Amino acid sequence: MAVPSRRVTNDELAKTIDTSDEWIRSHTGIGARHIADKDTAASDLGLAAARKTLALAIERGAVGEKSPEELALTLDLIVVGTSTQDYYSHPATACLVQRALGAKNAAAMDITIACSSFIYGLETAAALLKADARRNRALVIGVDLLSRITNWEDRATCILFGDGAGAVLLEKTAAKTVPGGILRTILGADGSGWEYLILRRGGSRNPWKKGEVVEEVPAIAMDGRAVYNFAVKVITETIARIMEEENIALDDLALIVPHQANARIVQAAAKRLKIPEELFYLNIEEYANTSSASIPIALDELNRAGRLKKGDLIITVGFGAGLTYGGNLIRW
Ligand code: COA
């Protein structure tokens, strides 16, 4: 994972907008967020997370290569989940990461479905590895700088978001030798909620016009209540479906790693599922909602803290603009 060093507390936000630490904590569980400086873009943070991932794989003896440069050359694919690409539309942020890593043999693509991008990206990478015997390794990065598309005068949205990146290295192994990996993924969408989380300006529907005086910042507009209700519903249904269809009992699960959007969403889903809240990993207090990055950041924290043991069964689950949702069942 990589997060910017600048940490903005709720109290600091309360100096510029009409809000309070008490309101933000009680309604969302958020205590702070990390905000990138003006010279940092998605590929920079994504690259930092990617470099640390390659270094960790070498340090832990998970790969035979001895240097990140050597390891980067073995990558067949780089997938970047992000909605805050360095450049509007193209080039893909994954191409910028590919160049900087020197991963000359890797294909590169972005997945742009807001907060569900990492879950979709993981399944896309796994499926592309399976699809060709010659593909063996993929790097999946989740990175977002939502601070760049946030209206900092809108207290209903700006308190929610932060910047960050996380990455994982996937390697295809023979199922018989390592009974692990991504065992099952559920992906879904409900386009009827397209307007509930939206960046209205700048696309082919509402392009910026020549000579236009830009009064409106290109910022996230959100129907918070509608997104909240959708989130609780799909998180509950996705976890229940994975457990039922894959025949998993509560005792089999080591952890559930949810997208970190609002602690209250997770608590409501836990209650509906009758799953103890402690089974859900939450770090939203420190990072707020980092969109595509929230799940890989959580995975890295858990991994480095020794809380993920080989063979552990975990579920990742998330949702986002679109509206989209999904979950991965992973044998660590
Ligand atoms: N500080 C203080 N008061 C605030 C506030 C803030 N930052 N933001 C909103 N309020 C006020 C509202 O103006 C409203 O006041 P009113 O009753 O006088 O009109 C009151 O608090 C309640 O607002 P409401 O929007 O109903 O709050 P809520 O309990 O629904 O919480 C969210 C708002 C945004 C926290 C919640 O709806 C949510 O988390 N939704 C999901 C958002 C999300 O996850 N988005 C990303 C998806 S990936």
Side-chain angles (χ1 to χ4, degrees):
M1 62 176 275
V3 292
S5 55
R6 170 137 165 68
R7 184 172 183 270
V8 178
T9 61
N10 294 339
D11 283 332
E12 188 176 340
L13 275 188
K15 287 181 189 153
T16 52
I17 52 165
D18 181 15
T19 189
S20 65
D21 181 55
E22 197 283 325
W23 194 96
I24 300 172
R25 280 182 190 276
S26 61
H27 285 73
T28 67
I30 294 166
R33 69 284 296 142
H34 292 245
I35 304 293
D37 63 48
K38 66 174 180 33
D39 298 323
T40 301
S43 71
D44 302 313
L45 268 192
L47 178 66
R51 288 213 162 110
K52 286 161 86 175
T53 304
L54 299 185
L56 188 66
I58 293 167
E59 189 188 310
R60 296 254 169 116
V63 292
E65 287 73 15
K66 298 277 176 269
S67 72
E69 293 74 22
E70 227 185 301
L71 180 52
L73 284 172
T74 72
L75 294 175
D76 299 297
L77 176 67
I78 298 175
V79 176
V80 173
T82 184
S83 296
T84 45
Q85 300 92 324
D86 284 32
Y87 299 100
Y88 172 69
S89 176
H90 53 271
T93 302
C95 293
L96 305 174
V97 174
Q98 187 245 20
R99 171 183 165 270
L101 280 181
K104 285 193 286 203
N105 303 308
M109 66 186 285
D110 288 356
I111 299 254
T112 304
I113 37 161
C115 304
S116 305
S117 297
F118 183 77
I119 287 171
Y120 269 63
L122 210 51
E123 177 67 352
T124 302
L128 287 172
L129 291 188
K130 279 181 205 154
D132 188 328
R134 288 176 204 81
R135 294 191 197 117
N136 290 304
R137 282 182 180 155
L139 190 64
V140 184
I141 301 168
V143 55
D144 264 308
L145 279 74
L146 290 189
S147 66
R148 295 283 155 76
I149 53 168
T150 295
N151 177 355
W152 288 96
E153 288 164 13
D154 175 17
R155 70 176 182 174
T157 53
C158 76
I159 53 134
L160 295 171
F161 304 124
D163 301 337
V168 297
L169 179 63
L170 292 186
E171 183 174 53
K172 186 162 65 182
T173 47
K176 281 188 190 124
T177 54
V178 185
I182 300 160
L183 306 180
R184 172 80 198 282
T185 294
I186 287 178
L187 302 176
D190 178 2
S192 70
W194 65 280
E195 247 186 323
Y196 294 155
L197 257 172
I198 189 165
L199 207 69
R200 289 187 191 280
R201 294 302 312 271
S204 59
R205 176 75 58 194
N206 299 304
W208 301 111
K209 295 181 190 72
K210 190 174 175 200
E212 180 179 5
V213 178
V214 180
E215 286 168 352
E216 197 188 336
V217 285
I220 301 168
M222 179 181 78
D223 181 334
R225 192 40 64 178
V227 176
Y228 185 100
N229 293 338
F230 172 81
V232 174
K233 180 173 173 288
V234 294
I235 288 184
T236 307
E237 287 173 1
T238 303
I239 295 171
R241 258 186 76 193
I242 291 179
M243 291 180 69
E244 201 181 305
E245 292 171 9
E246 299 302 313
N247 216 355
I248 289 161
L250 199 52
D251 287 349
D252 300 332
L253 273 182
L255 266 178
I256 298 173
V257 183
H259 167 49
Q260 314 279 318
N262 183 333
R264 285 174 61 185
I265 291 175
V266 173
Q267 285 151 2
K271 201 170 161 196
R272 281 195 197 178
L273 287 158
K274 299 194 176 56
I275 293 179
E277 264 177 48
E278 304 73 59
L279 204 63
F280 290 82
Y281 182 69
L282 280 176
N283 62 6
I284 190 169
E285 186 180 5
E286 179 58 29
Y287 306 112
N289 179 349
T290 56
S291 193
S292 312
S294 81
I295 290 174
I297 286 176
L299 290 177
D300 189 39
E301 283 193 336
L302 288 163
N303 188 28
R304 287 180 195 266
R307 287 188 58 190
L308 292 173
K309 311 260 178 322
K310 200 175 161 88
D312 274 356
L313 207 51
I314 63 171
I315 291 177
T316 64
V317 65
F319 58 91
L323 298 170
T324 54
Y325 62 93
N328 315 104
L329 175 68
I330 299 170
R331 174 83 66 190
W332 193 256

